[in-house]
Amino acid sequence: SGLMLNRIHQYSALIIFLFLCMHLSNHLLAVFGPETHILWMERFRVVYRSLVFEVVLLAAVMVQIASGIFFIFRSWGQRETIDQRLQAWAGLYLVFFFTAHLIDVLQSRMSFAMDTNFWFIAAMHQAAAVPLLNLLFYFLAVVAVFVHIACGLYWSLSGMPDVRLRRNLSIGVGVLGVLFATMIVLAVGGYLYPVDLPPRYQGVF
């Protein structure tokens, strides 16, 4: 039972990982401007906005949230090493972020028929009471994704004889996450170039 749930958790994580490769690289391309972001978003959406992929992705997210919470609290007292604790905290933050983000995106698409593109993200940040806190919310989510992956990588390479290489590879993934997160929030926050919202996105939040 526990082994089967662990396998399901891993398979759903692979589906989400495929989506995040497209989604985060798309956000990173925002450093070159909104037009570049939207151009590549439309290309990636051919894959992840297909009905089959969306249904599978939504199911995978639900499975990750439910199974992740189960695993975290089942073994909370047994997590003694730094990587085990980091993975648990990163997982908890991602549960919170995925839930909030999914509600925002679905509500905007279904209730307001709004395209959740670069301008949607920028509008949310500009309308936030404390924009820096909103950017921090996104920043920590991106970092949490990479930290969660880094800890999983550290575990999966437990048979590697070179412990230093194993540790450095994991740390490298975490550092890459910080760089990704920094560039993304600088772009959508308007710190790399002026972000003038189109009329459609002004005053919607």
Side-chain angles (χ1 to χ4, degrees):
S1 174
L3 180 60
M4 178 62 72
L5 185 59
N6 189 54
R7 288 285 177 84
I8 293 173
H9 186 79
Q10 291 174 349
Y11 291 145
S12 63
L14 284 176
I15 295 169
I16 296 172
F17 178 74
L18 290 175
F19 167 72
L20 287 176
C21 285
M22 294 182 282
H23 195 59
L24 292 181
S25 59
N26 185 192
H27 282 346
L28 185 63
L29 287 168
V31 301
F32 299 108
E35 295 78 13
T36 302
H37 175 276
I38 292 173
L39 172 66
W40 280 94
M41 179 195 69
E42 291 173 350
R43 293 175 178 177
F44 287 133
R45 278 182 175 179
V46 173
V47 178
Y48 69 74
R49 278 288 179 92
S50 64
L51 179 60
V52 173
F53 194 93
E54 279 204 314
V55 170
V56 172
L57 178 62
L58 184 60
V61 171
M62 295 296 113
V63 168
Q64 275 289 296
I65 291 175
S67 59
I69 291 174
F70 173 78
F71 286 133
I72 287 171
F73 287 103
R74 184 188 67 172
S75 59
W76 186 266
Q78 302 170 12
R79 295 179 181 269
E80 299 176 348
T81 62
I82 294 177
D83 59 290
Q84 291 173 335
R85 292 174 180 173
L86 275 177
Q87 189 175 39
W89 283 112
L92 277 176
Y93 190 84
L94 288 174
V95 166
F96 172 66
F97 178 82
F98 281 157
T99 303
H101 191 57
L102 193 60
I103 291 173
D104 283 339
V105 170
L106 290 179
Q107 184 179 31
S108 297
R109 283 176 56 184
M110 300 175 71
S111 300
F112 305 111
M114 185 181 299
D115 192 358
T116 53
N117 55 21
F118 173 91
W119 302 117
F120 168 79
I121 303 169
M124 288 185 67
H125 291 320
Q126 290 190 16
V130 185
L132 286 179
L133 284 181
N134 204 42
L135 288 173
L136 180 63
F137 180 60
Y138 274 81
F139 176 86
L140 291 177
V142 177
V143 171
V145 167
F146 280 82
V147 167
H148 203 65
I149 293 173
C151 293
L153 179 66
Y154 188 78
W155 283 16
S156 65
L157 297 177
S158 57
M160 179 181 288
D162 192 336
V163 177
R164 179 178 296 180
L165 177 59
R166 172 188 170 200
R167 183 178 63 249
N168 289 342
L169 284 173
S170 302
I171 292 174
V173 172
V175 171
L176 184 63
V178 173
L179 294 176
F180 255 67
T182 301
M183 298 307 296
I184 289 172
V185 299
L186 286 177
V188 300
Y191 293 99
L192 298 181
Y193 45 76
V195 176
D196 299 318
L197 296 177
R200 174 72 178 89
Y201 292 87
Q202 294 177 7
V204 294
F205 295 107

